[in-house]
Amino acid sequence: MSALYELTITRHIAAAPDRVWQVMAHRTDEWWCPVPWRADTSGWERRAGGSAATTMHGPDGEVHEHGGVFLTWDEGRRFASTDAVTADFAPAGPFMIGIWEIAPEGQGTRYTARARHWTEEAMRQHEEMGFAEGWTACADQLAALCEG
């Protein structure tokens, strides 16, 4: 088996799994990237094989487009996407596979976000890009929406 080059963020959210899923899956633009950046996920096709295209907008006019497809969409539990292919299954990147999942935990929900990379070098690059800070900020934003 090959090595798993994974970065992970996890946190407890003091809200029921149904509430967390609703916000996580259907209010994505509100938490998907750290403020003051904003995300446009209007091109998402929430199903396995569907487009996971996202556009990130920065506070100084930056625009970063991210293509990809959903590998799975398990309603109420998790979704996973990759940038290794585009929506028409043309090879791209690849940089990572992202997995976002929830599970009941006590009176709330355990949220886990994973970034799996093809190489250790790509994983280290993602760390240096600010993975921990960025994905933690997103988890905090998600929690605030769910708990508010």
Side-chain angles (χ1 to χ4, degrees):
M1 183 172 158
S2 62
L4 187 64
Y5 302 108
E6 182 175 278
L7 301 172
T8 303
I9 296 295
T10 186
R11 69 167 293 151
H12 183 266
I13 298 177
D18 288 348
R19 167 89 174 135
V20 176
W21 178 258
Q22 183 60 31
V23 173
M24 188 170 105
H26 301 289
R27 293 175 59 189
T28 316
D29 291 357
E30 298 177 54
W31 67 270
W32 192 252
C33 60
V35 172
W37 285 74
R38 65 180 180 80
D40 176 1
T41 61
S42 61
W44 280 18
E45 297 171 22
R46 292 165 169 81
R47 62 177 175 80
S51 172
T54 304
T55 303
M56 308 287 230
H57 300 273
D60 297 319
E62 306 94 330
V63 177
H64 296 281
E65 294 186 10
H66 303 274
V69 298
F70 285 107
L71 300 171
T72 190
W73 189 277
D74 302 324
E75 190 67 29
R77 193 170 75 83
R78 72 175 179 168
F79 55 85
S81 65
T82 186
D83 58 357
V85 295
T86 63
D88 61 358
F89 301 107
F95 182 62
M96 66 173 236
I97 295 171
I99 304 166
W100 295 266
E101 57 193 338
I102 60 169
E105 181 177 279
Q107 297 298 312
T109 304
R110 174 59 52 187
Y111 165 80
T112 304
R114 305 173 195 283
R116 292 183 177 163
H117 306 82
W118 274 256
T119 65
E120 183 176 3
E121 179 183 357
M123 180 184 72
R124 298 286 172 234
Q125 177 188 3
H126 203 177
E127 283 180 316
E128 291 170 11
M129 290 168 58
F131 168 83
E133 298 82 5
W135 286 42
T136 296
C138 293
D140 292 345
Q141 292 166 183
L142 174 63
L145 290 168
C146 294
E147 295 170 352

